């Protein structure tokens, strides 16, 4: 289970050090094997390989009218391995797709993680808060 937010920086080569709490889980769940892909919200999705296989299977079963969504998720997927220093290399194509240059936010989302450009994430979070709580949460007890 991935949860929590981490403010991180990519190095000059586009590598990101995965925080120890997430790195340990990635090593246990997927032996350090990761899949990174685009998300239409403007972030990247980071899956341990077993969770990716489940997600990939569900996406592959989408009906024909969702073929562009298959292209977005499956066609842009990159298989990665944690290096000996616990880093992953985010390809230039995926960095460009998410507007990522250096400062990023890594968010635990349960079965996977999201990787955001830090400024983009902050702006989208503020916009969501400004819109107010959605109906689905108004009956939710905190």
């Amino acid at each position: 289970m991935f949860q929590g937010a981490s403010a991180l920086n990519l190095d000059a080569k586009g590598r990101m050090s995965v925080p120890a709490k997430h790195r340990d889980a990635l090593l246990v769940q997927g032996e350090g094997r990761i899949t990174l892909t685009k998300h239409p919200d403007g972030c990247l999705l980071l899956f341990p390989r077993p969770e990716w296989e489940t997600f990939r299977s569900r996406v592959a079963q989408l009906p024909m009218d969702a073929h562009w969504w298959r292209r977005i998720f499956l066609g842009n997927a990159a298989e990665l391995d944690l290096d000996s220093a616990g880093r992953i290399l985010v390809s230039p194509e995926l960095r460009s797709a998410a507007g990522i240059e250096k400062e990023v936010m890594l968010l635990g989302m349960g079965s996977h993680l999201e990787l955001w450009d830090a400024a983009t994430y902050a702006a989208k979070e503020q916009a969501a808060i400004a819109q107010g709580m959605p109906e689905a949460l108004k009956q939710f007890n905190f």
Side-chain angles (χ1 to χ4, degrees), residues 116-128:
W116 287 87
D117 169 73
T120 300
Y121 177 77
K124 288 190 178 230
E125 181 182 78
Q126 287 303 312

Side-chain angles (χ1 to χ4, degrees), residues 1-6 18-27 29 106-108 113:
M1 175 68 97
F2 298 101
Q3 62 185 31
S6 300
V18 177
K21 64 182 177 180
H22 297 316
R23 184 173 52 237
D24 294 344
L26 291 167
L27 288 168
Q29 289 185 29
L106 184 66
L107 301 174
L113 298 136

Side-chain angles (χ1 to χ4, degrees), residues 15-50:
R15 295 176 299 196
M16 178 187 78
S17 290
V18 177
K21 64 182 177 180
H22 297 316
R23 184 173 52 237
D24 294 344
L26 291 167
L27 288 168
V28 168
Q29 289 185 29
E31 300 173 352
R33 296 168 52 226
I34 297 164
T35 301
L36 192 62
T37 194
K38 282 185 188 181
H39 189 282
D41 283 348
C43 66
L44 301 177
L45 299 175
L46 190 153
F47 292 91
R49 194 62 48 86

